[in-house]
Amino acid sequence: MRSSFCEEMAPIPDLIPINREVGHHTHYIGKYRTRKQFAAFVVASFPRDQIHNHTREERLWYAVVHEFDKDGNYLQTRHSFLGSAADQGADFTKRSMKALAKLMEDLGQVRYANIKVKLFSFEIDGRLFGLVDDSDGDTTRVTLWPNDLAFFPPWNGNYDT
C-alpha cells in the first residue's frame, strides 16, 4: 500500500525495478550473457483501445521475451503467436510453455533474478506491449502491458495486479 501523498506523486525513476516472484507473474525474469536482462511471459492481449473494456473472445495469446541491455535499455522483443481464446484447449498450457521455452533458448544460459529496466512500448497486431507511464492526475504509476502489472512509488520492485 502506498503510504503518503508525497510517495504517490514521486517522479518515475529512470530504471524501474521488477522483482522476480517464483511461481507468479514474474517467474521468468533475470539475466543472461554479459549481464543483459530479460522478461519472458505467456500473456493474453487485447486491442489497444479496449485494454480496460474487452470480451474474452478478443483475447489473443502470445509468448514473449523482452530483452534489455545491462543498463536497462530495451533491445527487442521476440514473440510467438499462440492463438485466440477460441484456440485454447486442454493442451494450451503445455503448448504455450513449449513456445516460451523455445524463445528463451536463444538467450543461452539464464540466471533468474530481479531486474531494473527503462520504460518501453510497441505494438504487436495493434496490441500494446511494454512498460509504460500510466500516471493520472492523482497517482504515479507504471504498468507492464498487456500483463497489467502496476508499479508504484516507492519503486521497490513489487507490483499490483
Side-chain angles (χ1 to χ4, degrees), residues 78-90:
R78 292 176 296 106
H79 70 279
S80 178
F81 177 66
L82 301 173
S84 67
D87 297 325
Q88 291 182 345

Side-chain angles (χ1 to χ4, degrees), residues 65-103:
V65 176
H66 304 302
E67 298 177 37
F68 309 88
D69 69 15
K70 65 181 177 57
D71 298 318
N73 296 301
Y74 173 74
L75 298 172
Q76 70 174 347
T77 294
R78 292 176 296 106
H79 70 279
S80 178
F81 177 66
L82 301 173
S84 67
D87 297 325
Q88 291 182 345
D91 68 338
F92 178 76
T93 300
K94 183 178 179 180
R95 284 187 300 111
S96 61
M97 294 312 295
K98 186 176 179 177
L100 186 63
K102 184 167 177 52
L103 289 172

Side-chain angles (χ1 to χ4, degrees), residues 18 41 66 120 130-132 142-151:
I18 302 175
F41 307 98
H66 304 302
F120 69 101
L131 185 63
V132 301
V142 169
T143 307
L144 180 65
W145 288 107
N147 310 58
D148 200 12
L149 302 181
F151 299 85

